[in-house]
Amino acid sequence: MKITSIRAYQIDLPLHEGSYKWSGGNSVSVFDTTVVEVVTDESISGWGEICPLGPAYLPAYAAGARAGIAELAPRLIGADPLALGVLNEQMDSAMRGHPYVKSAIDMACWDILGKASGQPIATLMGGHVGADFALYRAISQDTPARMAKRIGEYRKEGYRKFQLKVGGDPDVDIERIRAAAKVLTRGDVLIADANTGWTQHEAIRVADAVRDVDVYIEQPCMTYEQCLAVRRHTNRPFVLDEVVDGIDMVVRGIADQAMDVVNLKISKVGGLTRARQIRDLCVSLGIAMTIEDTWGGDITTAAIAHLAHSTPERFLFSSTDFNSYVTVAFADGAPQRAKGRLAASRAPGLGVKPKMKVLGQPVLVVPQPTKSRR
Ligand code: MG
């Protein structure tokens, strides 16, 4: 099988709640997502999606994803989409770094592999574990009282894991964590995700102030070394996210006992191929994971579901259903949340069928169609 064309589509994804706010005064109200179609010579197309969390979260931004795909795609025409290891080597030799650019292409090729073999991606990644898996709900940064109130609302929707967006003023963050902890019921899980927002001394102050609270601390500071210093100080369970951008950082973190849980985002590490490699390493070494992506819609949510659903339950700390946060649905067959849980499709590949009317005209077609002569 050969790749004959790569196309990209751009879609705006507004949020049901108006905006999403996290550390450093960052917020997004409309996500800019890119859907990638990889076309082959055997009448199979695969679909992928890349949606950065705005330009200030990771070294990634939406227009950059499209520029990178435009740069990379011509080098992949003629490649075998089923040979995912070879394809990833080709992408890495054609473009250094920029894992998020490669993610949607890799995802689309997994979709092709699933369709060509008649198997859902979850089967190719080890098999569906149980009927479904648990999701967390991110709670946009707000006043302590409003964030605590959200927990009750989201619990009614079935969620039991709540991720507070902190990483702001440490005194307010301590209040946010304490207010949220007060409304927890038995079985709820609380995570305080600072998204790199605290300096080291601020993080240690907050960690000390919540020593008696049943809460996980996620990515308190910008660098690995700062996070490690906080980790060695706190008695709370600890999650690393933004700094874990590849398998080397997972190996380093495990050697240093730098975290109890890794937040594994598909596009942060370059696609499903690399994410599965990290997932399997974490399972072998006993490190639990939140399996998700930076953001996205129906296709990203489907890809997350296949990786998460094929992960042993005790190592799947939580996962995300981004398509329920946004107002635009653009693919049939995408997984839909039920009682705070999600399940990967049993159909071949990702199990999604994009709605071409919502996708509209492609913003990128490689190779460009030749103009007919008059
Ligand atoms: Mg995080």
Side-chain angles (χ1 to χ4, degrees), residues 304-322:
I304 292 167
H306 285 283
L307 185 62
H309 205 154
S310 58
T311 300
E313 199 173 9
R314 68 189 185 285
F315 296 119
L316 183 63
F317 179 62
S318 69
S319 188
T320 321
D321 61 323
F322 286 120

Side-chain angles (χ1 to χ4, degrees), residues 57 163 165 193 195 218 241-242 263 265:
Y57 174 67
Q163 190 197 74
K165 290 293 155 191
D193 187 356
N195 291 110
E218 181 163 338
D241 182 350
E242 283 87 336
N263 186 312
K265 292 183 163 77

Side-chain angles (χ1 to χ4, degrees), residues 173-374:
D173 284 335
I174 292 164
E175 289 174 31
R176 288 180 173 122
I177 295 166
R178 289 203 165 276
K182 262 191 203 145
V183 301
L184 295 183
T185 60
R186 190 183 169 85
D188 289 347
V189 175
L190 185 66
I191 304 118
D193 187 356
N195 291 110
T196 74
W198 294 322
T199 56
Q200 192 173 310
H201 66 93
E202 289 172 337
I204 287 177
R205 273 192 59 215
V206 177
D208 262 355
V210 301
R211 286 182 88 82
D212 60 333
V213 178
D214 186 6
V215 61
Y216 289 71
I217 306 285
E218 181 163 338
Q219 187 76 38
C221 304
M222 189 63 86
T223 70
Y224 175 78
E225 289 76 13
Q226 292 159 358
C227 289
L228 187 59
V230 178
R231 154 73 166 177
R232 287 176 173 161
H233 179 86
T234 182
N235 64 349
R236 298 296 80 210
F238 205 79
V239 187
L240 282 183
D241 182 350
E242 283 87 336
V243 294
V244 181
D245 55 3
I247 201 163
D248 52 338
M249 287 304 299
V250 178
V251 170
R252 189 175 170 198
I254 289 170
D256 292 341
Q257 297 187 351
M259 72 283 175
D260 306 291
V261 179
V262 164
N263 186 312
L264 175 56
K265 292 183 163 77
I266 295 169
S267 64
K268 185 175 62 175
V269 300
L272 280 169
T273 300
R274 296 274 152 70
R276 185 193 57 165
Q277 190 184 17
I278 291 171
R279 188 274 309 265
D280 289 347
L281 177 74
C282 286
V283 168
S284 295
L285 296 178
I287 297 292
M289 291 154 280
T290 288
I291 292 182
E292 58 166 339
D293 209 331
T294 46
W295 206 274
D298 283 328
I299 293 175
T300 295
T301 303
I304 292 167
H306 285 283
L307 185 62
H309 205 154
S310 58
T311 300
E313 199 173 9
R314 68 189 185 285
F315 296 119
L316 183 63
F317 179 62
S318 69
S319 188
T320 321
D321 61 323
F322 286 120
N323 63 348
S324 81
Y325 289 66
V326 298
T327 62
V328 175
F330 58 83
D332 293 319
Q336 305 297 330
R337 182 186 79 231
K339 295 181 178 159
R341 301 179 71 86
L342 202 67
S345 171
R346 305 272 170 169
L350 287 168
V352 297
K353 192 170 181 297
K355 305 173 193 222
M356 298 311 294
K357 271 194 181 156
V358 183
L359 264 52
Q361 289 300 311
V363 294
L364 172 73
V365 178
V366 174
Q368 283 209 322
T370 47
K371 283 177 189 146
S372 57
R373 289 184 191 175
R374 286 177 197 237

Side-chain angles (χ1 to χ4, degrees), residues 35-48:
V35 170
V36 171
E37 179 183 15
V38 173
V39 184
T40 71
D41 60 349
E42 293 186 26
S43 70
I44 295 177
S45 277
W47 295 90

